[in-house]
Amino acid sequence: LGDGLHGTPQYTQNGEYAFVNGNNLVNGRIIIKSDTKRVNRTQFEKYKKELCDRTIMVSINGTLGNVALYNGEKIILGKSACYFNVLESVDKDFIRYVVSSPSFRTYLETNATGTTIKNISLKQMRDYSFYIPGYETQKRISGILRFIDDRISLNTAINENLESQAQEIFKSWFVDFEPFGGVKPEEWTEKSVYDLAEYINGAAFKKNEYSTEGIPIIKIAELKNGITDSTQYCCIEKDEKYYFDNKAILFSWSGNPETSIDTFLWYRGKAILNQHTFRVVSKYNAPAFTYFLLKYLKPKFTHIASNKQTTGLGHVTVSDLKRLQFSCSTDAIEEFEKMSKPLFDMIYNTYVESNRLSKLRDVLLPKLMNGEIDVSEIKI
């Protein structure tokens, strides 16, 4: 077990190797972002670690407990990512679920040092102890949990495919005008993106308005990663315009231009929106059209935000939405809505199923890990 470089390597703009830290560990995978720093082979040889197909990584500085499996990525590690290589006599997937379990996260939170930036030492990692059954039982337990995770991964791939199909259909209608012989109809008018929907900004919160229970406050981190243990809750009544429920369309207008400026379809129950994010309500009763429009415009939003970056962050303002023109008609919006709504509903339903499976996995995981459920007769 070890961690990464306690310092700064020499970066190379188009280096072959990514410099990975704890925030690159997401949902069991190493995510190389567009803003991830890179190094050349010389720096890699200088700082490389003994990573292999039995390596598991855990974030131990800042955000604690992100987990990822190493799959041969070309990387060097920073200090906020620790790694360990699982013995051949132990099921690697079982250990992955051990370090994904609520009891392990509780251990990290209880033993973390630091006030602003939390930290877990390598000694504290080594000191964690847990129940481990025989190898065959380990395989059965990890098999049950992996079955659920594989279905969630499949759902993710399905939704990526559906989104891609929807974008092609949207482009054929409103960019290439294929249903109209490749020519924009004369009766279509230019409208601003702002004119097509209401954009309701989230609420600002004071410290004394946070709680550990109640209605969850949804920020950009929760939109990207789902509700986490760090989610804050609202303890006072806010204007009802800030509350939303399933199938709400949410647009984050501030943050990293590449990863945070985006459109999300909500599926996790009643919540309240924090500032820096709009709830988007179609003025034409056409949520599918509105959602696919905002998704199609993501590259433009990214470009707008990138040109306003300060300390790595950018934003899209109401003025930007008013300047951004889009050609359409009421009839075209209504027709496209009828055609695209089944895709929109399928995307939403797949999100709902994945959310249900995630909750099922999170309920099963501690029960399986502590031997509360007998897995000897379970057939997957």
Side-chain angles (χ1 to χ4, degrees), residues 122 212 237 242 261 368 370:
L122 294 184
T212 55
E237 286 292 323
Y242 298 126
I261 309 295
L368 290 168
N370 64 23

Side-chain angles (χ1 to χ4, degrees), residues 80-333:
S80 68
C82 89
Y83 71 95
F84 51 92
N85 298 325
V86 180
L87 298 175
E88 293 285 349
S89 58
V90 180
D91 179 46
K92 180 182 74 172
D93 283 325
F94 179 85
I95 300 301
R96 170 166 69 106
Y97 287 115
V98 166
V99 296
S100 301
S101 67
S103 58
F104 180 71
R105 287 183 175 275
T106 299
Y107 172 83
L108 295 183
E109 291 167 8
T110 303
N111 291 277
T113 59
T115 53
T116 304
I117 300 176
K118 298 294 184 181
N119 180 72
I120 288 289
S121 70
L122 294 184
K123 180 182 184 304
Q124 289 166 325
M125 287 291 294
R126 291 189 183 95
D127 286 347
Y128 181 70
S129 60
F130 55 93
Y131 164 81
I132 184 166
Y135 185 77
E136 289 305 316
T137 303
Q138 293 172 38
K139 293 287 287 184
R140 279 183 170 275
I141 290 173
S142 66
I144 292 167
L145 296 169
R146 193 171 61 250
F147 180 83
I148 297 172
D149 278 336
D150 287 348
R151 178 63 203 189
I152 293 172
S153 295
L154 176 61
N155 282 349
T156 300
I158 288 171
N159 266 2
E160 288 174 354
N161 180 270
L162 291 172
E163 292 273 8
S164 178
Q165 289 184 51
Q167 289 305 308
E168 286 300 316
I169 296 170
F170 187 90
K171 181 175 180 293
S172 74
W173 269 62
F174 295 102
V175 179
D176 300 330
F177 312 113
E178 289 179 7
F180 316 101
V183 179
K184 181 175 72 173
E186 291 182 3
E187 65 271 19
W188 283 24
T189 57
E190 293 289 317
K191 295 181 180 293
S192 73
V193 174
Y194 184 80
D195 289 334
L196 295 170
E198 290 183 77
Y199 294 83
I200 304 162
N201 199 15
F205 287 87
K206 300 175 182 177
K207 288 184 178 180
N208 63 353
E209 295 176 340
Y210 292 123
S211 176
T212 55
E213 58 184 18
I215 301 294
I217 300 168
I218 304 305
K219 302 179 286 297
I220 294 173
E222 281 75 34
L223 289 177
K224 293 196 295 183
N225 304 321
I227 294 178
T228 65
D229 293 336
S230 62
T231 298
Q232 294 171 310
Y233 296 84
C234 178
C235 64
I236 67 162
E237 286 292 323
K238 288 281 191 179
D239 191 304
E240 66 176 29
K241 70 181 180 180
Y242 298 126
Y243 295 87
F244 59 94
D245 213 323
N246 287 338
K247 263 193 176 178
I249 298 170
L250 306 175
F251 175 70
S252 60
W253 54 264
S254 179
N256 182 307
E258 294 289 341
T259 60
S260 296
I261 309 295
D262 207 347
T263 306
F264 302 88
L265 185 56
W266 183 253
Y267 53 91
R268 298 187 184 98
K270 187 174 181 180
I272 185 169
L273 198 61
N274 196 20
Q275 60 188 345
H276 303 297
T277 307
F278 291 126
R279 178 163 67 90
V280 184
V281 181
S282 171
K283 292 181 180 178
Y284 293 83
N285 192 28
F289 165 81
T290 304
Y291 177 75
F292 294 134
L293 167 67
L294 295 177
K295 279 288 187 181
Y296 180 79
L297 292 174
K298 177 174 169 53
K300 291 192 176 182
F301 292 139
T302 300
H303 178 72
I304 290 169
S306 296
N307 288 336
K308 299 179 182 179
Q309 284 194 82
T310 54
T311 63
L313 302 179
H315 55 274
V316 176
T317 65
V318 166
S319 297
D320 296 320
L321 297 174
K322 288 180 177 178
R323 283 194 296 268
L324 196 56
Q325 296 292 305
F326 185 78
S327 186
C328 62
S329 72
T330 301
D331 289 344
I333 292 173

